[in-house]
Amino acid sequence: MKFLAVLLAAGMLAFLGAVICIIASVPLAASPARALPGGTDNASAAAGAAASPGPQRSLSALHGAGASAGPSALPGAPAASAYPLPPGPLFSRFLCTPLAAACPSGTEQGDAAGAAPGEREELLLLQSTAEQLRQTALQQEARIRADQDTIRELTGKLGRCESGLPRGLQDAGPRRDTMADGAWDSPALILELEDAVRALRDRIDRIEQELPAHVNLSAAPAPAPVVPTALHSKMDELEGQLLAKVLALEKERVALSHSSHRQRQEVEKELDALQDRVAELEHGSSAYSPPDAFKISIPIRNNYMYGRVRKALPELYAFTACMWLRSKSGGTGQGTPFSYSVPGQANEIVLLEAGHEPMELLINDKVAQMPLSLKDSSWHHICITWTTRDGLWSAYQDGELRGSGENLAAWHPIKPHGILILGQEQDTLGGRFDATQAFVGDITQFNLWDHALTPAQVLGIANCTGPLLGNVLPWEDKLVEAFGGATKSSFDVCKGRAKA
């Protein structure tokens, strides 16, 4: 780029020199008449000059002194020569002569005033053209100076870029002085300058690509240490206070939750006690001694005989349901020993044997088959355990584990405030029974716990060696009612089974 600017400046200077030479060769006033090429005398020449102004005079003005086409007429020669000389060769020379700095004399001004009107117009036109060219020359000179300043600035930047590169990159290309290799108007020099400019542009691009990576690898700035300020200290202090306040509120919330849970349990206990007291006042003292020595009997298959537990159940995450059953269905399906329904879910807990299908346990409409059999019309002790964790379940008959499994309604808690029915399967909350799914026979000692009993505890209950009452729902006379023709009668299962 530097060489292109220098080449451009040199070309402009040559052009300006030629223009100045042309301007300098034009006289500011009309020159005296020259001898015409035909060998005419001075008077004829003057007459010819006066008769033909304009182009003839302009062409003669371009020739300097001594540039006439033929020799001048000698003094004393005749006015018209009988043997005219042949015309000389036509040529034109541009002579660079300095312009007169002094003002024209009075004689010249008089001559100019006496000149023809066409010559005055031509003179004014030449003067205005000369002034425009002079202004153009001044502008070009100012531009050349600006280009020289730009060239010096770019040269300095290029030198600084090359000084920051390794030695191998600084010596990548040969340096040669192409300014003195030949004339400025040489085509070979122009081509060489173009090649040098292209090479210089490529080097500059390569330097711009390699220099940032070199600088980043060699002089990576170290991270400035963070200076703690008073604002940061204040923010840390406020953050610590806020965190302490959040922790205190969380502790209060947990304490309130435990307190509310404990209060709710106490309220439920008081309500149960009040309910028991109301039942005692309504029905008097228990007709059975002990209070759990009774059974519910459903003699025929129908959709209106059943027993109902009067106590509401809490939310359960595990349970154990144990009962004594004696089926009288005649081997056509044992029906439904019990069902628990809640609002929005009729099959929250169901123990069912329909037709010739095996007995099934349903929890939240999820089904698991129980390997139990009640078809011999004898008393059998049945226990079902379940926990919401992984949906683990176990089935016991007469104190022995008959089967177990998992993934039965896993992670589903048993919903509270439902209705527990003995002997019928609920299609809606507390009703809509189906006679084909009814239990026919006797039910006693139905107890419910909120945890899974151990196999030893189940065996003790089945052998009548370790009787237990359910901590959620015990088998008591005041908590169980018979409806639709189902009957309650005194019965001790341990003694009655021996008699049977």
Side-chain angles (χ1 to χ4, degrees):
M1 185 174 185
K2 176 174 68 176
F3 297 107
L4 280 180
V6 173
L7 182 60
L8 179 61
M12 292 300 301
L13 288 175
F15 173 74
L16 289 176
V19 172
I20 291 172
C21 288
I22 295 174
I23 295 172
S25 64
V26 179
L28 296 179
S31 301
R34 302 292 185 221
L36 295 177
T40 59
D41 55 3
N42 292 337
S44 303
S52 59
Q56 184 88 9
R57 183 162 182 82
S58 297
L59 291 175
S60 64
L62 294 177
H63 302 288
S68 61
S72 301
L74 295 175
S81 176
Y83 302 97
L85 297 176
L90 298 176
F91 63 93
S92 176
R93 292 180 300 166
F94 295 99
L95 299 178
C96 295
T97 59
L99 296 176
C103 295
S105 62
T107 305
E108 293 177 353
Q109 291 180 357
D111 296 339
E119 293 180 354
R120 287 197 298 270
E121 293 178 359
E122 183 180 1
L123 178 62
L124 293 176
L125 178 62
L126 291 175
Q127 288 178 352
S128 63
T129 303
E131 181 65 23
Q132 292 178 0
L133 291 174
R134 189 175 67 83
Q135 295 295 332
T136 304
L138 293 176
Q139 293 177 2
Q140 293 295 333
E141 182 181 2
R143 184 174 299 175
I144 289 172
R145 290 178 180 176
D147 292 341
Q148 289 176 352
D149 295 339
T150 304
I151 290 170
R152 283 194 294 270
E153 182 181 358
L154 292 176
T155 304
K157 289 183 178 180
L158 181 60
R160 287 194 297 272
C161 291
E162 290 182 345
S163 63
L165 292 177
R167 178 63 61 183
L169 291 178
Q170 294 182 7
D171 300 334
R175 299 179 182 270
R176 44 180 307 198
D177 187 6
T178 59
M179 302 292 293
D181 288 346
W184 281 104
D185 56 352
S186 173
L189 178 58
I190 294 174
L191 294 176
E192 186 175 358
L193 288 175
E194 292 179 354
D195 295 339
V197 168
R198 283 195 293 270
L200 182 60
R201 187 184 298 111
D202 295 339
R203 289 182 61 191
I204 291 175
D205 294 340
R206 187 167 62 252
I207 288 170
E208 291 177 351
Q209 293 176 1
E210 296 178 358
L211 186 58
H214 177 71
V215 172
N216 292 336
L217 292 176
S218 61
V226 179
V227 180
T229 62
L231 180 60
H232 291 169
S233 302
K234 188 65 175 177
M235 290 178 62
D236 294 340
E237 182 180 356
L238 292 176
E239 185 178 358
Q241 293 178 1
L242 181 61
L243 182 59
K245 187 65 175 178
V246 170
L247 293 177
L249 291 175
E250 183 66 20
K251 290 180 180 179
E252 292 180 3
R253 187 188 67 80
V254 173
L256 289 175
S257 177
H258 290 322
S259 177
S260 62
H261 182 67
R262 185 167 53 255
Q263 291 178 357
R264 184 176 61 185
Q265 289 181 345
E266 293 176 356
V267 170
E268 289 180 355
K269 289 181 180 179
E270 293 179 0
L271 289 176
D272 291 341
L274 290 175
Q275 187 176 2
D276 295 342
R277 183 59 180 168
V278 170
E280 290 179 0
L281 292 176
E282 289 178 352
H283 301 282
S285 60
S286 175
Y288 309 106
S289 180
D292 62 339
F294 69 97
K295 66 179 179 178
I296 294 290
S297 298
I298 302 175
I300 59 174
R301 190 183 299 275
N302 54 68
N303 61 352
Y304 52 86
M305 293 184 180
Y306 62 96
R308 176 171 177 171
V309 177
R310 302 176 57 185
K311 185 178 180 179
L313 302 184
E315 187 177 36
L316 299 174
Y317 297 93
F319 71 84
T320 299
C322 292
M323 69 208 79
W324 285 90
L325 299 175
R326 181 170 63 178
S327 175
K328 298 180 180 180
S329 61
T332 58
Q334 310 307 313
T336 306
F338 77 96
S339 63
Y340 177 66
S341 177
V342 296
Q345 178 55 269
N347 297 325
E348 189 70 4
I349 307 176
V350 179
L351 185 63
L352 169 68
E353 181 181 336
H356 299 284
E357 299 294 331
M359 187 169 288
E360 296 176 339
L361 175 65
L362 283 74
I363 297 179
N364 192 33
D365 270 335
K366 307 300 186 296
V367 182
Q369 293 185 351
M370 302 286 105
L372 305 176
S373 178
L374 304 175
K375 298 179 180 180
D376 56 358
S377 300
S378 299
W379 282 102
H380 294 282
H381 184 258
I382 302 298
C383 271
I384 305 296
T385 67
W386 175 86
T387 178
T388 186
R389 182 174 183 177
D390 297 327
L392 300 175
W393 61 269
S394 299
Y396 297 86
Q397 181 171 339
D398 297 328
E400 296 181 1
L401 179 64
R402 293 294 183 90
S404 62
E406 60 183 0
N407 292 327
L408 176 58
W411 311 108
H412 170 76
I414 302 301
K415 298 178 182 178
H417 310 300
I419 297 177
L420 182 60
I421 298 295
L422 301 177
Q424 295 285 352
E425 194 273 332
Q426 306 173 62
D427 288 337
T428 60
L429 182 63
R432 196 176 172 184
F433 305 137
D434 185 356
T436 62
Q437 296 176 339
F439 177 79
V440 180
D442 300 321
I443 304 174
T444 188
Q445 293 296 325
F446 184 91
N447 290 277
L448 187 66
W449 292 264
D450 58 2
H451 57 276
L453 296 182
T454 64
Q457 291 174 324
V458 173
L459 182 60
I461 297 172
N463 292 336
C464 296
T465 57
L468 291 174
L469 293 177
N471 64 341
V472 175
L473 180 62
W475 181 255
E476 293 182 359
D477 174 35
K478 60 185 178 181
L479 298 179
V480 180
E481 294 179 316
F483 293 91
T487 60
K488 289 175 63 176
S489 57
S490 178
F491 180 75
D492 189 341
V493 64
C494 293
K495 296 178 181 179
R497 191 175 60 134
K499 293 179 180 179

